[in-house]
Amino acid sequence: MAPAKVYKNYIGGEWVESRTGKTFENLNPADNRDVVGIFQASGKEDVDDAVAAAKTAFEKWRLVPAPKRAEIIFRAGEILTERKEDYARDMTREMGKVLKETRGDVQEAIDTAYFMAGEGRRLFGATVPSELPNKFAMALRVPIGVVGMIAPWNFPMAIPSWKIFPALVCGDTCVIKPAEDTPLSTINLVRALIDAGLPKGVVNIVTGFGPEAGSPIVNHPDVRAISFTGSSEVGRIIGEAAARTFKPCSLEMGGKNAIIVLDDANIDLAVDGAVWGAFGTTGQRCTAASRMVVQKGAYDEFVSKFAQQAKSLKVGAGLDEASDMGPQINAQQIETTTKYVEIGKSEGAKVLAGGNRLNKGDQAHGWFFEPTIFGDGHAKMRIAQEEIFGPVATVIPVKSVDEAVEIANGTMYGLSSAIYTRDINKAFRAIRDIDAGITYINAPTIGAEVHLPFGGVKATGNGHREGGLGAIDFYCQWKSVYVDYSDKLQRAQIDTGE
Ligand code: ADP
């Protein structure tokens, strides 16, 4: 086998080695003998260099007209379209999910590029009447400065694109630290931007681990805002650190998303949705459906069809087009899944499908786990409360729509939710009463589109949104401008004309 390629940090428009002199291996989760690449294990000094480069670049970038900034993003979208297959294959190799999903991940970056490119000719502010005569008032969106970005591994190109593209169109520059398991896809994304003509220093990448390479970004005084996607535990650390220096901080974190299935639902449709929601991305989405809350009249049919379909999924390497579900990302995630399956059994839930690690034959060097379903679940069980981030779903029987909504709302999280019903009244009731950032009707909890706000409530987020309008609100700040052309001193609230 050829020696693994060495990838460098991207700082000030140059590919550079880390000043720590340290590197780490990025392994294929389907076969950990396959080294995807050697990456820089960066530290504070690298972050200092990257922030300095971003700060210098900001002075010019903020003055580039937004439609021109947007043209670069548009071209990056075109380049990503040309390279979609190659980048999807790189992503499957480093992250594990099946090719049709990594193609979707690249597509999400392309969609985001096109949406944000259009935003270059909008970035709408507001012009409003002044309360005083001969005075003009408006609110403009202006850039923030250097934004620090910390990304997870489950959407290795889509999530960085949700952060980088809106920041760029708003006129910000950035330093991004990809997750240690998936740095290559961020590098590929940024390569598209470089080839599209991005000026030096506007986007900088430092690869490495959270405490060493992520924390210095959060704490750097010249970083003016932070965008983080990852676990609620790390989000709390980052939110607290950002608060100390008054940085705006967008946190997108965990979920324990429920699909409600009512008696009147199209059960086959609900089962298809449950399988995709629970086992897409091997259950490693923050929007994964990990709880199926099923009304008693539909319960038996639902669980038997759900278990049957889960058992028929082909688990295998994502690069094999025949695979339905790829491996988990790493040893730690497999351990977590294994632990929760034991917890579920000890809590009295019944294994209806799966429950085991797959590590025989071809799969001995990967992190494979069977699609796993627990039946007879109870809302208060740990498997129904805690985020597992693996291919494990718990089915909970309920009597009524009221009870179902109460259970859907009864966790610390509030990201996504779904209800299957043919009763329009109950659907609207769910839209109104489910305490989550996203609600799907007759579709699973996954499948967000890039132009709608994405995010959640409670331990899922701190009030910001990614995607479309939500992102523009985060990456710009407001400047209110008053132009007085009366040629005399006018005093708001005092010169009332009385
Ligand atoms: P996951 O469980 O999805 O891996 P994490 O929250 O552990 O999510 O990681 C998400 C991102 O946060 C990764 O890029 C990781 O390196 C980074 N990270 C982890 N710990 C810290 C920290 N203390 N400070 C800054 N970033 C961190």
Side-chain angles (χ1 to χ4, degrees):
M1 216 185 268
K5 192 169 167 197
V6 177
Y7 292 88
K8 297 181 183 172
N9 285 335
Y10 187 65
I11 298 177
E14 309 291 334
W15 295 100
V16 292
E17 285 176 5
S18 166
R19 296 225 246 149
T20 63
K22 293 186 199 151
T23 56
F24 65 98
E25 288 182 336
N26 175 7
L27 304 181
N28 178 343
D31 181 350
N32 53 38
R33 295 166 300 182
D34 175 27
V35 181
V36 176
I38 312 280
F39 291 82
Q40 306 300 309
S42 310
K44 183 177 177 304
E45 291 188 330
D46 302 303
V47 170
D48 289 345
D49 292 346
V51 174
K55 194 177 174 194
T56 303
F58 177 66
E59 288 312 318
K60 282 195 181 155
W61 183 244
R62 73 188 178 89
L63 300 178
V64 175
K68 295 287 167 205
R69 297 195 294 252
E71 282 171 20
I72 295 175
I73 299 170
F74 186 87
R75 277 200 293 278
E78 302 279 77
I79 293 168
L80 288 172
T81 305
E82 284 162 21
R83 299 179 187 168
K84 181 171 170 180
E85 188 61 23
D86 287 348
Y87 285 176
R89 286 180 177 274
D90 278 352
M91 195 190 300
T92 292
R93 198 172 152 216
E94 75 170 349
M95 189 275 166
K97 62 186 172 185
V98 294
L99 271 175
K100 65 173 181 291
E101 290 192 42
T102 51
R103 288 178 190 128
D105 196 303
V106 179
Q107 187 60 45
E108 203 164 323
I110 295 167
D111 296 343
T112 303
Y114 291 153
F115 180 86
M116 288 301 163
E119 202 54 44
R121 286 185 185 269
R122 285 188 296 267
L123 287 181
F124 291 142
T127 58
V128 294
S130 166
E131 68 190 44
L132 292 162
N134 299 320
K135 195 173 171 191
F136 183 89
M138 61 186 164
L140 305 177
R141 292 182 185 272
V142 295
I144 302 176
V146 179
V147 180
M149 303 170 176
I150 296 179
W153 44 261
N154 60 343
F155 282 84
M157 187 175 284
I159 291 178
S161 82
W162 286 9
K163 300 184 189 302
I164 294 174
F165 291 154
L168 294 188
V169 78
C170 290
D172 301 321
T173 58
C174 64
V175 176
I176 182 162
K177 191 202 83 64
E180 47 273 33
D181 285 301
T182 56
L184 179 55
S185 295
T186 296
I187 288 178
N188 284 342
L189 177 72
V190 174
R191 277 174 171 161
L193 277 164
I194 296 167
D195 294 342
L198 190 76
K200 293 179 176 194
V202 173
V203 174
N204 303 273
I205 308 174
V206 284
T207 58
F209 297 86
E212 294 80 11
S215 179
I217 297 178
V218 179
N219 290 303
H220 199 295
D222 289 335
V223 170
R224 300 284 301 276
I226 297 291
S227 174
F228 167 79
T229 306
S231 62
S232 300
E233 295 72 39
V234 173
R236 177 172 283 121
I237 296 170
I238 289 178
E240 287 176 359
R244 280 197 290 276
T245 46
F246 309 116
K247 292 182 176 81
C249 176
S250 167
L251 304 173
E252 277 309 326
M253 302 170 286
K256 191 71 191 173
N257 314 291
I259 290 181
I260 297 173
V261 183
L262 298 184
D263 285 348
D264 67 80
N266 175 340
I267 302 295
D268 290 333
L269 181 69
V271 169
D272 286 347
V275 169
W276 176 225
F279 305 124
T281 320
T282 319
Q284 302 170 122
R285 294 192 187 208
C286 48
T287 52
S290 53
R291 299 181 295 153
M292 314 300 157
V293 182
V294 185
Q295 205 172 359
K296 287 207 165 127
Y299 186 84
D300 289 342
E301 184 185 350
F302 178 85
V303 288
S304 95
K305 289 181 171 171
F306 185 31
Q308 198 186 345
Q309 276 206 34
K311 285 179 193 161
S312 72
L313 292 176
K314 185 172 181 319
V315 180
L319 287 171
D320 178 352
E321 298 271 7
S323 298
D324 296 311
M325 190 180 97
Q328 292 212 257
I329 186 73
N330 55 31
Q332 195 190 329
Q333 286 301 136
I334 277 280
E335 266 173 40
T336 306
T337 302
T338 310
K339 180 186 90 180
Y340 273 104
V341 168
E342 289 314 310
I343 290 171
K345 287 181 192 163
S346 71
E347 288 179 311
K350 192 166 140 203
V351 179
L352 302 177
N356 302 299
R357 190 179 160 188
L358 296 166
N359 54 3
K360 307 263 162 11
D362 281 358
Q363 297 181 332
H365 298 279
W367 311 119
F368 296 96
F369 206 93
E370 290 176 320
T372 299
I373 299 174
F374 281 108
D376 296 340
H378 187 278
K380 297 287 179 229
M381 288 175 171
R382 285 183 63 193
I383 52 167
Q385 286 287 326
E386 297 171 21
E387 188 178 45
I388 301 174
F389 232 60
V392 181
T394 303
V395 192
I396 304 167
V398 289
K399 289 197 192 73
S400 64
V401 64
D402 290 327
E403 191 186 354
V405 170
E406 194 183 319
I407 287 175
N409 290 343
T411 72
M412 65 190 277
Y413 300 107
L415 180 53
S416 190
S417 56
I419 183 165
Y420 283 81
T421 177
R422 287 163 163 144
D423 182 334
I424 187 88
N425 298 355
K426 289 185 178 138
F428 269 90
R429 162 80 210 285
I431 293 169
R432 189 192 61 196
D433 293 342
I434 293 180
D435 194 15
I438 307 170
T439 297
Y440 293 87
I441 308 299
N442 293 325
T445 54
I446 65 178
E449 299 181 30
V450 304
H451 46 301
L452 280 80
F454 179 93
V457 302
K458 299 190 277 184
T460 294
N462 63 342
H464 296 287
R465 291 289 184 271
E466 301 209 277
L469 297 171
I472 296 297
D473 282 342
F474 183 72
Y475 291 104
C476 286
Q477 51 195 342
W478 287 110
K479 173 171 279 190
S480 298
V481 180
Y482 302 93
V483 182
D484 191 324
Y485 55 98
S486 70
D487 223 19
K488 63 180 185 197
L489 173 65
Q490 299 197 87
R491 296 168 299 178
Q493 294 93 38
I494 294 172
D495 299 334
T496 56
E498 283 158 8

